Structures are given as C-alpha cells and as structure tokens.
Amino acid sequence: MIAEIQAGPRVPEAAPNILEVRNLRKSFGVHEVLKNINFAMRKGEVVAVIGPSGSGKSTLLRCLNQLEPASGGEITIDGLTIRADHQLRRAELMGLRRKAGMVFQSFNLFPHLSVLRNISLPQERVLGRSRAEAEKRAHALLERVGLADKASQYPARCSGGQQQRIAIARALALDPQVMLFDEPTSALDPEVGLEVLAVMKELAEGGMTMVVVTHEMHFAETVSDRVLLMADGHILEEGPSAEVMRNPKSERAQRFLKAVMNR
Amino acid sequence: MSDILSFWGTYLPQILDGLGISLKVTGASLAIGIPAGLALALMVQAKSRFLRWFCLAVVEIGRGAPALILLQFAYFGLPNVGVSLTSFAAAVAALSWSTAAYTSEIIRAGLQAVPRGQIEASDALGLSFADQLRFVLVPQGLRVAAPALLGFAVLMLQASSLAFTIALPELLSQAYIIGTTTFRYMPILCLAGLLYACICIPATLLVGWFERRLARHA
Ligand SMILES: Nc1ncnc2c1ncn2[C@@H]1O[C@H](COP(=O)(O)OP(=O)(O)OP(=O)(O)O)[C@@H](O)[C@H]1O
Ligand SMILES: [Mg+2]
C-alpha cells in the first residue's frame, strides 16, 4: 500500500499537452449530452472519468476518437486538431483514430479471427506492416498481457478477462498516443476484472496516456493521476485523484461519491 | 420390379447426363448469383440514390417475376433485341438473376445481424470502409447467412428443372424425352425424382446441422 502513495504528481508539470478538449458539445437531437467540456492532458497522464450513469462519460470518450461526431468545439490529439464546425476530411479522421486506441466494455474482438489475427490484421491494414512484422508484435503484446498461449485460439474460447486483455493488446499494437477505456471491467466478474486492471496499471506505469471511464473507485484513486467527475454533461469536479475523491467540493459530487464508495 | 431396375439401368447414363447438366446450371447460377447478391446487398445501402434505385429494381424484378418467366424472357425474348443465348446460357442468366435477387435479401439480413460493436471496433481501430467490409462485416454476415444460402441452393437445383421449358437437356428433360420414346413415364420420372432427392435430402440435413452449429456458437 505504501508504494501507492505518491509524493507529488507522477507526470512532470512540464510535460507537453497531448490531448486538449475545448468547448466540446454534443447533442443527440434536442438532447444536449455534453455541455461545454474543457480539459487537457499531459503526455503520460492517466485520467479517470467518473460520474453517475447517463452523465455523458461514454459520449465524451466516443467524441475523442469521433465515433460520435461532436456538435461543437475542438479536440487536439498529439498536434492534430479536429473542429466540429469544419468538414472532417477522411485523412484527418483516420489520423485521429490512429492516435487514439479504444477499449470497449464489451471487448468487441472479431469472433471469426484467431486471437493472433485479431491483433495482426489491423496492423497490416492500418499501418501497412508486413504479416511477419505484425505477428511478431502481436506475439510480444500477448506475452505482455499474459496470454502468449492463446495466440491460435478463437476469442469465444477465451474468458471475458482474457478477451479484454486481448482487446487491449489489439489497440496497443497500433502504437496509439492515447488509450481510451470505456468501463473495461464492467462486464466482468470482480476477480476477473482485477487481471484487466493489473494490465492497465502496468500500462500506466509504462507511461501510456490514458483516459479511463470507470466505476472502479479504487482504480480511479490509486492508478489515475487525475479524476474528472462528470454530471449532466458537465465536468463537475476535476483535480488530483485523492483530492477529488476524498474532499469533493460540491454537494452533487459528495452525494455521488458517497453512493459509490459505500458499495 | 427387376423389369423396372433393368429399365433404369438402360437409361441411367442418359439420366445422369441430365443430372450433370442440372448441377452445372445450378452451380453456375449460384457462382454468379451469390456474389451478385452480395454486391446488391451492399449497394442498396449506397449513398447514391441512382444506385439504390437501380439495385432495388433488379432485386424486386428478380423476386417478383417467376423464374419461369425470367427463363422464357432470356431464351425467347432476348433474341428480339439481338441477343441470342444458347439454352444453357439463357438458363444460367435467368437463374443467376433470380439467385442474385433472393440471396441479396438473405445476405442483407446476415449483414444486419453483425453486432454494432464490430463496426465500432473496426472504426476505432482506423480500418477503412473497404477493409471493414472485407475483413469484418462480409465474413461475419456471410457466416450468419450460410444456412439460408445453402437452403436456397437446394431450391435452385429444383428450380433448374424449369429449364426443361427452354429445351435444356437437364435431368427433367432427359426423363421426359425417355418417357416420350418408351411411353414409360412413371418409372423414369420416379428415377429423376429419386436423383433430385439424393442430392436435396442430404443438403437439407446439412443445412440443419449448420444451423444448430451456428446457434451453439452465437
Ligand atoms: N446514440 C445516442 N442517441 C441518443 N441518445 C444517446 C445516444 N448515446 C447516448 N445518449 C444519451 O446521452 C446521455 C449520456 O450517455 P452516455 O452513454 O454518455 O452516459 P454514461 O455517462 O456513459 O453512462 P453509463 O455510466 O450508464 O455508461 C444519456 O442520456 C443517453 O441516453
Ligand atoms: Mg457509458
């Protein structure tokens, strides 16, 4: 436990911003789901996004890689800026998605491809790597997530926790600048979720920039550098994890944290 | 009984020739029609309104018109506009159209059954639209559609007997020719029926097996 108490910010203050979100808005019809979101992340930072159901956490994450086109504002990832009021060019969209890797709650592995192929195919198609190169990388990543022996299996033969670790390897194989996680452990039994969280923790320690939407308060508190607490499409509170989670300022945040901490 | 068997024995080679042609027509129609059906299934979702309407017309005519009419049209109608086809080519053309029209609906349903998360995952990975179709949507959609396609293939073998009306010497025509020369329609039609059954029954069983297997993996 001692090791988890960190003296000062883990990421140097001087590290450049790798992600900036300015005045981001998103509406579905008349329903405004994200209302003027602003935040920035430095390279290597891990940000946990927490908040009640329906507060817009997933939508925020999905706007970051344009799975949902934003209705207003700007997003900059690693020097590439996307403006909602500009027609998005295909090359920009592809560039953005290349910089951001995403991990879903439901894994979304390709069921008709072997585990190895799930990881190697996107490398070949998106980055133009050779088959041999892509498979070498895939094997190395499988090793890293503790699943070297699963390479030739099909996803359906793997447990949920294994599938999620494979999904993480698949995203990492494309060398993203930022990793986006949308409740990666919510579909898993708690013990199984721990395997996945362990991989994510290792990734964070390795310096990966990560945005993690999560209901795992322990993870948010111990692994992430910062917490964004969302409610009703706003960022209600933002700050160092321990600060936001131990001493929330607003009554709404106190209520939410009290409810989830007692679970 | 031994009389019938020896009659069957005499004409079996001719009947088998007919079966060979039936299988060839069916095989060719499926080989052309299913890829065309896939193309139609993809194109009805195209952005271009012209393309959408064109596909819709091809599909609706192919499904709306009885296969018999398509056959007659290809064999007797097209020569009027300067295109004359052999009876084999006309049969393949007509049955391919039918196949394309019906299988496009089957394949479209298969594509729609692919979970949304698969598309999102390939989008998030940065796969191009073409790659998404080629590596994610089409393989999975076809897998879902496979039992229905196989079932359709069986129907198509049976439908190939309609080519009897355009003088294609397929299985039913051969049986009919033998019937007219020997006046023994009953036994030779029974033999033809048996041969169709020999192919269709195992194929139907295979469809059932396929469906159970898919259900287990879903
Ligand atoms: N595609 C969509 N069309 C219409 N409304 C949507 C769509 N996606 C999300 N919403 C709405 O946007 C709001 C925010 O949804 P979002 O999924 O971002 O919440 P969340 O914070 O991730 O919630 P949860 O913790 O339950 O995952 C909800 O009211 C939801 O109903
Ligand atoms: Mg969500």
Side-chain angles (χ1 to χ4, degrees), chain A residues 57-59 105 182-183 213:
Chain A
K57 307 180 296 292
S58 296
T59 307
Q105 182 176 344
D182 192 359
E183 299 193 29
V213 173

Side-chain angles (χ1 to χ4, degrees), chain B residues 23-206:
Chain B
L23 289 173
K24 268 186 215 145
V25 168
T26 308
S29 303
L30 294 172
I32 297 170
I34 293 179
L38 172 62
L40 287 169
L42 295 174
M43 286 192 305
V44 287
Q45 294 163 32
K47 286 211 184 77
S48 149
R49 179 180 292 187
F50 169 78
L51 209 56
R52 275 206 317 270
W53 280 102
F54 171 77
C55 294
L56 217 61
V58 170
V59 170
E60 290 310 318
I61 294 171
R63 291 185 342 136
L68 186 56
I69 305 263
L70 294 178
L71 277 168
Q72 306 280 316
F73 173 80
Y75 190 62
F76 298 113
L78 285 183
N80 288 348
V81 291
V83 183
S84 15
L85 300 176
T86 64
S87 59
F88 184 84
V92 170
L95 297 180
S96 296
W97 189 352
S98 239
T99 301
Y102 278 99
T103 58
S104 80
E105 295 288 301
I106 296 173
I107 292 170
R108 194 153 64 125
L111 291 174
Q112 274 165 357
V114 177
R116 174 121 204 95
Q118 293 290 309
I119 299 168
E120 295 197 337
S122 38
D123 274 340
L125 287 165
L127 288 181
S128 68
F129 180 64
D131 281 353
Q132 194 177 101
L133 281 182
R134 178 170 157 207
F135 295 106
V136 180
L137 265 179
V138 170
Q140 290 189 57
L142 284 182
R143 215 158 286 222
V144 176
L149 288 176
L150 199 54
F152 181 81
V154 171
L155 287 180
M156 219 49 209
L157 176 63
Q158 293 168 355
S160 72
S161 65
L162 293 171
F164 154 68
T165 60
I166 58 170
L168 183 71
E170 45 70 63
L171 179 51
L172 181 63
S173 311
Q174 296 288 12
Y176 191 73
I177 292 165
I178 296 165
T180 48
T181 51
T182 60
F183 295 106
R184 300 185 67 183
Y185 286 101
M186 187 64 174
I188 201 66
L189 286 173
C190 285
L191 179 61
L194 270 178
L195 287 177
Y196 278 120
C198 278
I199 292 177
C200 294
I201 292 173
T204 307
L205 292 177
L206 195 65

Side-chain angles (χ1 to χ4, degrees), chain A residues 28 31 33 52-59 68 183 215:
Chain A
F28 291 106
H31 184 28
V33 173
S53 184
S55 55
K57 307 180 296 292
S58 296
T59 307
E68 297 289 357
E183 299 193 29
H215 289 286

Side-chain angles (χ1 to χ4, degrees), chain A residues 62 97 108-110 112 125, chain B residues 117-118 120 123 131 135:
Chain A
R62 294 160 58 82
R97 288 184 174 159
N108 296 342
L109 293 177
F110 302 130
H112 61 300
R125 304 308 303 178
Chain B
Q118 293 290 309
E120 295 197 337
D123 274 340
D131 281 353
F135 295 106

